[in-house]
Amino acid sequence: MDMYQKRKIRAEKKNNDNDNDNDKSKVRLNWYPGHMEKTKKQIIQDLKLIDIVIELLDARIPISSQNPNIAEITKNKKKIIVLNKCDLSDDRQNKLWVEHFKKKNIPAVLVDSNSGRGIDECIRQIEKIMQIDLDAHAEKGRTGRKIRAMILGIPNVGKSSFINRISKRTTAGVGNKPGVTKQKQWIRINEKIELLDTPGVLWPKFESEEVALHLCFTGSIKEEILDKIEIAYQLTKFLLENYRTKLCDRYKIDEKFIEQTLEKEQPENANIYEIMLEIGKKRGCMMTGGKIDEEKTSRLILDEFKNGKLGKVTIEKVN
């Protein structure tokens, strides 16, 4: 039995399972590491100390990387959205997403934490949002009060890199505050802003398999949650439909080969799988006997997407 036949059997079994039980995927995606519930409770408690929330999203998947639980518990707080990893996402879509959040009256800033792009604008926006409150405090004689910000984001959204940049890699605590336990460490951003870090937190159940796939694409959840080959297959399909030239350029595949393969009279998944194997062949993902290693090929495609080697790609576009 060759690799495609094995994959076909898996696909058929998956389709049969879905036909028999439409809720099966929800069960499969219902996971929640125990420590995350504790983290959520701590965030709710700490919000009492906070003036403004900085929510980090992955610019490639702004919807899937936004924790719906966090949106609920922070709805009464001032907020700024940081579209992090904007160096990996489509420039045109970046602008559209900034406008999208602006229409919701939420300031959004494009940030590349590795280079520092957007960090100064982020600080400016925080101070701008809080200026009215600071003026009100000053009128009451409470001068010098710091802006207390909390940074929130799902795992692997680039929170540590962002904090290192915005704090200029200074992580010294700024002393105990009223109502703050000694264990809490505040990070001094500048003379006006202090930042309270929080661990990355996911939510108990993904609403759709699409959300889970997007989080797997970017490495926010472990690939083991779904089949790695299936994840790579879905990513390859997306790239073929939306960024075909980038895919062809990266793996030196002729677009005519792509077109001819996709036009073959066989199931679509067989056509896309054949293109995946061609990628593996081009990059030397071979096994003993000359067979193409589908696991290695899948890992290659996923890793190169995460690292931006396929170019600037946005998975979720503004509707």
Side-chain angles (χ1 to χ4, degrees):
M1 185 182 294
D2 63 22
M3 286 180 285
Y4 168 63
Q5 288 174 318
K6 291 179 182 178
R7 194 197 184 305
K8 185 178 180 182
I9 290 171
R10 286 200 299 268
E12 289 174 346
K13 183 178 185 302
K14 178 181 173 183
N15 289 336
N16 290 335
D17 288 345
N18 288 341
D19 289 340
N20 294 331
D21 185 356
N22 290 328
D23 291 329
K24 189 171 180 66
S25 63
K26 292 183 180 179
V27 173
R28 182 154 48 87
L29 301 177
N30 187 1
W31 75 294
Y32 197 47
H35 69 278
M36 289 190 178
E37 180 61 30
K38 183 179 179 182
T39 298
K40 178 185 172 184
K41 290 179 180 178
Q42 188 62 56
I43 289 171
I44 293 172
Q45 185 67 28
D46 290 342
L47 278 170
K48 298 173 183 177
L49 312 170
I50 299 300
D51 300 310
I52 185 170
V53 169
I54 306 170
E55 186 173 13
L56 256 68
L57 305 179
D58 189 317
R60 298 167 295 179
I61 53 168
I63 300 302
S64 293
S65 61
Q66 190 166 41
N67 185 332
N69 285 353
I70 295 302
E72 175 62 25
I73 65 178
T74 62
K75 63 183 179 182
N76 295 321
K77 287 290 182 180
K78 292 180 173 63
K79 182 184 289 187
I80 180 172
I81 294 289
V82 170
L83 292 167
N84 200 27
K85 303 187 180 183
C86 70
D87 56 311
L88 303 178
S89 53
D90 191 313
D91 290 331
R92 180 173 177 277
Q93 287 298 317
N94 284 345
K95 294 176 183 177
L96 292 174
W97 277 112
V98 169
E99 287 300 314
H100 168 83
F101 287 109
K102 184 178 179 181
K103 289 176 182 177
K104 293 178 177 289
N105 296 315
I106 304 175
V109 181
L110 296 167
V111 170
D112 169 12
S113 296
N114 290 326
S115 70
R117 172 189 169 189
I119 293 294
D120 289 343
E121 176 61 17
C122 185
I123 293 173
R124 192 183 74 80
Q125 286 291 339
I126 292 170
E127 293 177 353
K128 179 181 178 182
I129 293 168
M130 292 302 303
Q131 192 57 55
I132 294 176
D133 288 44
L134 292 178
D135 291 343
H137 289 311
E139 288 179 8
K140 296 177 182 178
R142 297 173 62 190
T143 58
R145 185 186 183 283
K146 303 286 187 183
I147 298 169
R148 294 179 183 173
M150 174 187 284
I151 182 167
L152 293 171
I154 65 173
N156 209 37
V157 78
K159 206 145 55 69
S160 295
S161 297
F162 175 79
I163 290 172
N164 287 339
R165 275 291 176 181
I166 200 168
S167 64
K168 297 181 173 58
R169 303 186 185 282
T170 299
T171 57
V174 297
N176 296 330
K177 301 291 178 182
V180 182
T181 64
K182 292 181 179 180
Q183 287 75 24
K184 293 190 192 305
Q185 289 294 306
W186 293 75
I187 302 167
R188 183 183 288 110
I189 303 304
N190 58 22
E191 69 279 0
K192 294 182 180 180
I193 305 170
E194 296 169 357
L195 179 66
L196 180 62
D197 184 20
T198 60
V201 60
L202 286 164
W203 53 106
K205 182 169 67 176
F206 302 124
E207 293 302 316
S208 69
E209 187 168 318
E210 182 179 61
V211 169
L213 276 171
H214 293 174
L215 293 171
C216 284
F217 289 167
T218 57
S220 291
I221 60 176
K222 293 181 180 180
E223 292 160 2
E224 290 76 9
I225 298 300
L226 298 173
D227 179 70
K228 182 178 293 183
I229 299 171
E230 176 68 18
I231 300 167
Y233 165 84
Q234 294 292 348
L235 178 57
T236 302
K237 180 181 179 182
F238 173 84
L239 293 170
L240 286 169
E241 292 172 350
N242 297 275
Y243 294 95
R244 186 176 298 183
T245 300
K246 290 181 184 292
L247 189 75
C248 290
D249 289 347
R250 176 62 186 170
Y251 298 115
K252 305 295 186 291
I253 298 176
D254 194 307
E255 287 204 40
K256 287 185 178 180
F257 169 81
I258 298 289
E259 293 171 6
Q260 291 171 356
T261 303
L262 292 176
E263 289 173 359
K264 286 185 177 181
E265 294 185 1
Q266 57 183 354
E268 180 191 47
N269 62 350
N271 294 336
I272 294 172
Y273 183 70
E274 194 171 317
I275 293 168
M276 285 177 62
L277 293 183
E278 181 67 14
I279 291 173
K281 181 179 178 182
K282 290 279 187 179
R283 297 301 294 272
C285 301
M286 308 302 293
M287 300 171 66
T288 304
K291 290 184 178 180
I292 298 168
D293 189 331
E294 61 175 358
E295 289 279 350
K296 189 174 181 180
T297 300
S298 298
R299 187 165 58 250
L300 170 78
I301 294 169
L302 291 170
D303 286 347
E304 296 209 329
F305 167 73
K306 291 173 193 172
N307 296 329
K309 293 182 179 179
L310 285 157
K312 296 185 175 184
V313 172
T314 295
I315 300 295
E316 295 175 342
K317 299 182 179 180
V318 178
N319 294 325

